[in-house]
Amino acid sequence: MSTRFPFTAVVGQQDLQLALLLNAVAPNIGGVLVRGEKGTAKSTAVRALAALLPEVEVVAGCRFSCDPASPDPTCPDGPHTVESAEARAARMVELPVGASEDRLVGALDIERALAEGVKAFEPGLLAAANRGILYVDEVNLLHDHLVDVLLDAAAMGASYVEREGVSVRHAARFLLVGTMNPEEGELRPQLLDRFGLTVEVAASREPDQRVEVVRRRLAYDDDPAGFAARWADEESAVRQRIVAARELLPKVRLGDGALKQIAATCAAFEVDGMRADIVMARTATALAAWDGRSDVLAEDVRQAALLALPHRRRRNPFDAPGLDEDKLDQTLEESAGEDDDPDPGPDGPGGGGQPSPDEGPQGGDTGAQPEAGEDGEPQPAAGGAGEQAPARAAEPFRTKALTVPGVGAGAAGRRSRARTERGRTTGALRPRGALTKLHLAATVRAAAPHQRARGRSGPGLVLRRDDLRQAAREGREGNLVLFVVDASGSMAARQRMSAVKGAVLSLLLDAYQRRDKVGLVTFRGTAAEVALPPTSSVDAAAARLESLPTGGRTPLAAGLLKAHDVLRVERLRDPSRRALLVVVTDGRATGGPEPVTLAGRAARLFGAESVASVVVDCESGPVRLGLAGRLAEELGGTAVTLEELRADAIAGLVRDVRGTTSRRAA
């Protein structure tokens, strides 16, 4: 077994180490979600924690690590006797991103269950992690239904496996640790809330600290055993401190004053539900035990808030997680009854201070806005070579549902119809590989005609492998939504571009809720660029959109050809994920020889490949040319205006998208 990097040798990640240690002291806190950029020792620290956990007493031979002092009465390997006990190190089990539900929760032997009525159960990773650590690297890339199962087991301390009336239950109490890189996509807010604590990690910008990180890593790579031996005393001290804190934990007193501060803090930051209050109380108690105290202090409540609340304030993918520490301190002082009403002075809250030199009379941007010319297009800003400053996006709204026609087989999501592992049963088929979802009626029908020939004499069915039928299910899939946004001068009127960005932001929010991948192509001037390659991080797309400048000519053909290249590459990477092209433009094409002809030729490439497409028509004013509608016809898709995109505008948008595509296919 390889020697792990010592936990105490990790440099500059004190918050991460504290959160992990607090969960080691009090696992009922609910685990840790570690968010941060790549290469910040997230996985190293988690794997090193396992070596610090005290040994556990288990029933010898039990696959579920039952405690001999209080064995699980429902354990599938039971009943147990207390004489068969042994001590072993706490396990750390890793859940791969591509794991199946059966691999996570375990599986029943369906053939034996039907034929013999025997609960032949093969434990999964939840059973292996019982009384240890369950580590999920890149938890944000795990399928949502697996995250649901995982967090349910962590909350209940048990795992349930039910298949066709046969059920198994076993204990599943573990320290849950998930790591993620936000650039690759976010977890849903309701899933974020299920993690007890969260920590944001980033690489240090201090040269001395970075030097020390490199020095220790090189020393470890040269001699892992020798490096670990040099840190053995520090590791032993932390291990003993964990044991002492666990023993002290039941004796720690959480007074009414601390409880009032916890409740006031959660109310002040408007977190949903009561889970935050409970997690803060458990964390503050664990902090006191970790410091060897029997009373919870205000400083414990403050630290607990910094660990338990930031991720619970995130309500949509465009909210940055975090906590206003000044507001936190003020709330703690108020709830403690301290005087919090000093004279704030003329520049304090509600004061009449003067605006800064960079602000106008109302604190807004005083930069001169470009004025529109006679044709409605803005004039070039001075010295800007036709480029305008980015416009701020309008308030997002709920959009109509845009779907890809037909039935796909892509990753689970909530947009288009697809054959999935979860959903309503639509039929039965022969299993390819291991049977996961039994279609009982079809299996019985397949086996019934052969019972006499197989010599059946008892009550059970005589089953063979060929009799088994897999349930065919239909649910929803996530798609690749590729936005192609016109950022040319014809779109650069401030009010229009603000509305356009608001519409795209609304579609991004819809893509987040429907578990889509998104990409962003923009075109302006003389060329197009991939502003954001396809990713699961819709907040990254929103950030690129917010900073998008406008101005110049309209190379529509270049934008469409760039989008065609992006989709071609993505089909090679993920052939099962279907695409939805969303072109946001007024339909104009200028610049270069025959721009309109080239744009039409580029658009017909998508029509020939049956790519589902929608053109969001951004043309405004009393006189409209209808160019976006013509572009939609060339694409083989449909066109909608910004007003029609709203969910409460028209009822037939999805029908229009499907109908247009069906006519094209015919």
Side-chain angles (χ1 to χ4, degrees):
M1 180 178 179
S2 61
T3 303
R4 288 175 176 162
F5 193 92
F7 185 84
T8 51
V10 174
V11 179
Q13 301 294 359
Q14 288 81 6
D15 288 345
L16 169 58
Q17 290 173 303
L18 177 61
L20 292 172
L21 290 169
L22 291 177
N23 272 271
V25 172
N28 62 356
I29 287 174
V32 186
L33 176 64
V34 187
R35 299 164 44 91
E37 58 196 27
K38 50 189 174 293
T40 49
K42 300 187 299 291
S43 300
T44 298
V46 175
R47 293 188 175 101
L49 177 67
L52 296 179
L53 297 182
E55 288 188 337
V56 293
E57 290 282 335
V58 299
V59 175
C62 177
R63 297 174 296 170
F64 304 88
S65 303
C66 280
D67 185 353
S70 56
D72 182 4
T74 63
C75 176
D77 285 355
H80 297 302
T81 59
V82 296
E83 291 80 10
S84 57
E86 63 181 10
R88 63 160 174 77
R91 291 174 179 163
M92 193 195 77
V93 176
E94 295 193 37
L95 174 62
V97 169
S100 65
E101 185 174 350
D102 284 346
R103 183 74 183 100
L104 177 62
V105 301
L108 292 171
D109 188 330
I110 300 296
E111 295 179 59
R112 291 190 63 191
L114 289 176
E116 305 172 28
V118 176
K119 295 182 182 180
F121 181 67
E122 183 65 30
L125 296 177
L126 291 180
N130 188 33
R131 304 179 68 201
I133 299 174
L134 182 60
Y135 172 48
V136 188
D137 194 13
E138 306 295 352
V139 64
N140 52 326
L141 303 183
L142 201 64
H143 284 304
D144 283 345
H145 76 280
L146 291 183
V147 178
D148 286 330
V149 170
L150 179 64
L151 294 175
D152 282 342
M156 296 185 298
S159 175
Y160 296 85
V161 182
E162 298 189 7
R163 298 285 161 82
E164 306 298 340
V166 182
S167 63
V168 172
R169 175 204 174 278
H170 66 82
R173 297 180 178 87
F174 47 82
L175 194 168
L176 175 63
V177 184
T179 60
M180 60 176 283
N181 183 349
E183 294 178 357
E184 297 172 340
E186 285 286 354
L187 279 173
R188 289 179 285 153
Q190 57 268 45
L191 295 180
L192 285 172
D193 182 58
R194 300 289 291 275
F195 281 92
L197 308 180
T198 187
V199 179
E200 293 280 339
V201 296
S204 173
R205 300 301 185 256
E206 294 292 330
D208 291 343
Q209 197 169 77
R210 296 176 74 96
V211 166
E212 185 61 23
V213 170
V214 175
R215 181 181 291 120
R216 292 187 185 183
R217 184 70 209 190
L218 293 178
Y220 170 77
D221 291 341
D222 289 341
D223 183 10
F227 183 82
R230 291 195 292 275
W231 290 88
D233 291 342
E234 288 82 352
E235 294 281 286
S236 178
V238 172
R239 189 179 298 107
Q240 293 172 11
R241 190 174 175 184
I242 292 173
V243 173
R246 285 184 174 182
E247 294 175 352
L248 179 59
L249 186 64
K251 305 172 186 176
V252 175
R253 190 180 73 88
L254 182 65
D256 290 342
L259 279 172
K260 181 179 178 182
Q261 287 183 313
I262 290 171
T265 301
C266 293
F269 285 98
E270 300 179 350
V271 295
D272 297 332
M274 294 298 298
R275 185 175 283 118
D277 303 62
I278 296 170
V279 170
M280 274 189 65
R282 290 171 175 167
T283 305
T285 304
L287 280 162
W290 178 249
D291 286 341
R293 290 182 276 102
S294 57
D295 285 292
V296 174
L297 305 179
E299 63 193 57
D300 299 323
V301 176
R302 185 183 191 279
Q303 183 64 57
L306 293 174
L307 293 172
L309 296 187
H311 59 304
R312 292 186 165 87
R313 289 188 37 78
R314 184 184 176 95
R315 287 179 166 80
N316 67 62
F318 313 130
D319 291 337
L323 211 62
D324 185 339
E325 295 194 33
D326 291 336
K327 181 179 178 180
L328 173 60
D329 292 335
Q330 181 181 355
T331 302
L332 292 174
E333 290 177 3
E334 290 175 353
S335 59
E338 298 180 9
D339 181 14
D340 62 339
D341 193 28
D343 182 7
D347 296 324
Q354 298 298 318
S356 69
D358 295 331
E359 296 179 341
Q362 302 300 322
D365 181 8
T366 59
Q369 301 296 338
E371 299 198 2
E374 293 181 0
D375 62 352
E377 295 190 16
Q379 299 302 309
E387 181 176 308
Q388 309 298 331
R392 187 176 298 276
E395 192 69 21
F397 51 85
R398 190 166 66 90
T399 66
K400 295 294 292 185
L402 304 175
T403 62
V404 177
V407 180
R414 294 187 175 182
R415 184 172 296 277
S416 306
R417 294 172 55 203
R419 294 178 294 275
T420 60
E421 287 293 317
R422 301 171 68 86
R424 64 186 183 90
T425 300
T426 59
L429 46 83
R430 292 180 182 273
R432 298 177 180 176
L435 178 71
T436 56
K437 303 293 182 182
L438 177 73
H439 194 297
L440 181 59
T443 299
V444 172
R445 284 198 301 269
H450 309 290
Q451 296 304 296
R452 179 175 297 178
R454 294 174 183 173
R456 172 184 168 185
S457 58
L461 285 173
V462 179
L463 284 177
R464 293 181 180 173
R465 177 67 184 175
D466 290 343
D467 299 329
L468 298 178
R469 295 294 182 269
Q470 177 90 13
R473 300 190 174 187
E474 183 176 300
R476 293 280 170 176
E477 67 177 357
N479 298 117
L480 167 59
V481 182
L482 182 61
F483 294 92
V484 182
V485 179
D486 185 348
S488 64
S490 65
M491 303 282 289
R494 303 289 291 183
Q495 187 174 2
R496 183 192 300 182
M497 199 60 197
S498 177
V500 167
K501 286 188 175 182
V504 178
L505 201 64
S506 303
L507 290 167
L508 282 171
L509 181 58
D510 181 68
Y512 165 78
Q513 294 168 339
R514 297 181 187 277
R515 318 292 184 264
D516 295 317
K517 290 181 69 175
V518 296
L520 179 62
V521 173
T522 65
F523 57 94
R524 55 182 289 273
T526 60
E529 66 170 341
V530 181
L532 183 72
T535 175
S536 297
S537 179
V538 296
D539 49 345
R544 303 289 172 88
L545 179 72
E546 190 69 26
S547 60
L548 179 66
T550 55
R553 294 186 178 275
T554 311
L556 177 57
L560 294 174
L561 291 175
K562 182 69 72 173
H564 188 267
D565 287 343
V566 170
L567 293 183
R568 178 178 55 81
V569 172
E570 285 302 307
R571 276 195 292 269
L572 296 175
R573 290 177 177 171
D574 189 358
S576 64
R577 187 182 291 269
R578 298 185 295 164
L580 174 64
L581 182 73
V582 179
V583 185
V584 185
T585 181
D586 58 8
R588 298 189 186 189
T590 60
E594 301 183 342
V596 176
T597 302
L598 291 177
R601 193 175 300 165
R604 287 191 289 274
L605 291 175
F606 294 94
E609 296 175 359
S610 300
V611 176
S613 59
V614 177
V615 178
V616 180
D617 185 358
C618 302
E619 193 173 25
S620 60
V623 179
R624 304 196 180 194
L625 303 178
L627 299 176
R630 298 178 196 171
L631 174 62
E633 292 178 3
E634 298 280 4
L635 288 168
T638 188
V640 296
T641 64
L642 290 174
E643 294 77 15
E644 292 171 340
L645 191 61
R646 293 180 178 272
D648 54 358
I650 57 173
L653 180 57
V654 177
R655 184 173 62 252
D656 290 345
V657 175
R658 290 176 174 171
T660 303
T661 308
S662 298
R663 289 194 298 273
R664 181 189 64 214

